Amino acid sequence: MFKYLVIVSPLGFLYGSAGAFLSPENLVGRSGAKFPPDAATLAGLFFSENKSQKFAPHETLKQELFVSGPFWANHGDVANFYVPLPRHRIIDNSKDDEWRLSPQRKWERDPQKLDIEAEYRWQSIDSWKRPNTADIRKNSEMSRAPWEYVSFLHPQMKLDERHVLDEDGLFLENAVQMDEDFCLVYLSTYALPDGWYRFGGEGHMVDIRCQEIASDSTIHQLLTTKIQKTCALLTPGVWGSNHLSYRYPKHSEFPKEGIKMLTDKPIPYRYRIGQRSTERGRLGRGRYAVPPGTVYVFKQPLDKTWWEFPEDWFPREGLPLKHLGCGLCLPVDIEGVA
């Protein structure tokens, strides 16, 4: 079970995390955008810091470290962090709507609201079990992401002095700026000592502190509640083998018959394993994933928590992807599902 909230407060711009830099040869802008850093980034930090701080033997850490995220929160209420809004909920400033299942097990919604667009993609974890979308909007428990993408001129320094190159010394790069009142939040089975760390491929400086998850907290209660006929993903879901990805586990223990999904187009899921110092070097792993917010409805009860999902439901590349919080899901109420 996850024991800690890992709270990451960025210090300044997170350049590079917003995607490929801009140049005359690369005008695609944010096509490679990837923010916030995924759980694999945090796992890499744990293993890196463990070399010097030794809070667990390497093999023990490899077996027992589970991380998941990313989420975000207000510094004043970290325990009530924000998670992706399930796809059956559609909320904007003035209206709300929900998808439901008809008696024929078909997704349907109010035909008078077909033109509604979702303005919000996040909801607080404390509002997860609200009976309907209208209550979430009434209590203002939904939000937009507290970061924005900006572009700025980045200097390219001379090799032998701290001056910009005389020619082509500046290039335009994408960056992310996060509101200082907010922080990123991850779930973990281990805690990092509080302090400043380099975090992510660009080596950004961040302030990290950890907070124990209380047994009476909403997230603890949800994680220990068995999923019956409905659930929604909080993180990207990668199911299947090392060679093929599926929309749900192709496993004999998984109730595949009559499954219904409410989802969006697949998203890239990529991370690196290995060390720069080894002959093999770092190996990039990439595949498509089912996006966060995807809703699953089963014909037969699943009767498992995410913690009880077998590891062979997930690909294993370096670490089983379950250790990186892949496919973390929580039970959710859907109108029309008994």
Side-chain angles (χ1 to χ4, degrees):
M1 176 60 66
F2 292 119
K3 297 180 181 179
Y4 301 96
L5 300 178
V6 180
I7 303 156
V8 179
S9 301
L11 304 175
F13 280 120
L14 299 179
Y15 55 89
S17 297
F21 65 85
L22 300 177
S23 71
E25 295 78 27
N26 177 23
L27 298 178
V28 293
R30 284 166 46 198
S31 66
K34 184 181 180 183
F35 186 84
D38 56 27
T41 304
L42 181 63
L45 179 60
F46 269 99
F47 283 104
S48 176
E49 290 300 314
N50 192 49
K51 293 178 181 177
S52 57
Q53 307 207 34
K54 279 295 178 187
F55 36 83
H58 179 79
E59 286 303 316
T60 301
L61 190 64
K62 190 174 179 181
Q63 295 294 324
E64 297 181 358
L65 176 66
F66 287 79
V67 293
S68 192
F71 314 112
W72 60 270
N74 188 301
H75 276 296
D77 192 10
V78 174
N80 188 23
F81 56 89
Y82 283 78
V83 297
L85 194 73
R87 286 289 186 269
H88 75 289
R89 290 175 171 162
I90 304 172
I91 309 177
D92 73 359
N93 281 325
S94 58
K95 297 177 289 185
D96 49 73
D97 192 14
E98 287 190 15
W99 288 90
R100 57 186 178 272
L101 276 181
S102 68
Q104 294 76 34
R105 290 178 58 81
K106 292 183 178 180
W107 288 106
E108 59 181 22
R109 53 191 292 224
D110 188 341
Q112 302 299 318
K113 297 182 179 180
L114 288 180
D115 60 343
I116 191 172
E117 292 292 334
E119 291 189 21
Y120 298 96
R121 291 290 185 180
W122 300 85
Q123 73 173 90
S124 64
I125 191 66
D126 284 355
S127 69
W128 187 264
K129 299 192 75 173
R130 291 282 185 204
N132 55 57
T133 301
D135 283 348
I136 296 174
R137 184 172 64 82
K138 179 182 177 181
N139 291 281
S140 300
E141 294 169 312
M142 71 290 182
S143 181
R144 300 182 182 92
W147 56 80
E148 60 180 359
Y149 294 93
V150 296
S151 298
F152 71 103
L153 287 174
H154 192 289
Q156 185 171 352
M157 311 299 287
K158 295 180 179 179
L159 295 177
D160 56 349
E161 56 183 293
R162 294 187 61 81
H163 287 84
V164 178
L165 293 177
D166 296 328
E167 186 175 349
D168 298 329
L170 295 173
F171 59 90
L172 191 63
E173 188 167 33
N174 258 332
V176 173
Q177 185 173 28
M178 191 165 183
D179 190 308
E180 63 183 11
D181 292 331
F182 297 88
C183 55
L184 302 178
V185 175
Y186 299 81
L187 306 177
S188 175
T189 52
Y190 277 81
L192 279 168
D194 293 355
W196 290 5
Y197 295 87
R198 293 194 178 276
F199 186 66
E202 297 286 339
H204 307 299
M205 291 301 298
V206 297
D207 180 30
I208 291 182
R209 59 187 177 90
C210 294
Q211 176 178 310
E212 194 167 353
I213 296 175
S215 60
D216 61 349
S217 64
T218 301
I219 185 60
H220 184 275
Q221 293 170 4
L222 288 169
L223 287 170
T224 53
T225 301
K226 290 182 182 291
I227 297 166
Q228 298 302 323
K229 289 190 175 182
T230 56
C231 67
L233 296 185
L234 301 188
T235 60
V238 180
W239 318 103
S241 67
N242 286 4
H243 302 288
L244 296 173
S245 294
Y246 301 104
R247 301 178 76 188
Y248 50 83
K250 302 288 186 177
H251 193 277
S252 58
E253 294 183 24
F254 190 81
K256 299 183 287 292
E257 182 182 355
I259 189 172
K260 297 290 182 181
M261 294 177 63
L262 192 60
T263 187
D264 206 340
K265 64 182 180 181
I267 60 173
Y269 184 91
R270 189 171 186 87
Y271 67 98
R272 293 178 177 180
I273 59 175
Q275 300 290 333
R276 282 198 181 98
S277 59
T278 62
E279 291 184 7
R280 185 178 182 182
R282 291 194 172 189
L283 180 62
R285 296 290 191 179
R287 60 176 71 238
Y288 282 109
V290 181
T294 294
V295 174
Y296 290 86
V297 179
F298 309 107
K299 197 169 184 179
Q300 301 297 326
L302 186 61
D303 200 34
K304 293 179 184 292
T305 65
W306 179 84
W307 279 100
E308 295 170 323
F309 290 2
E311 289 192 358
D312 55 5
W313 285 12
F314 306 87
R316 181 185 181 94
E317 296 173 321
L319 286 173
L321 292 195
K322 185 178 180 182
H323 285 250
L324 302 180
C326 182
L328 179 66
C329 52
L330 297 176
V332 66
D333 294 327
I334 307 289
E335 185 179 345
V337 180

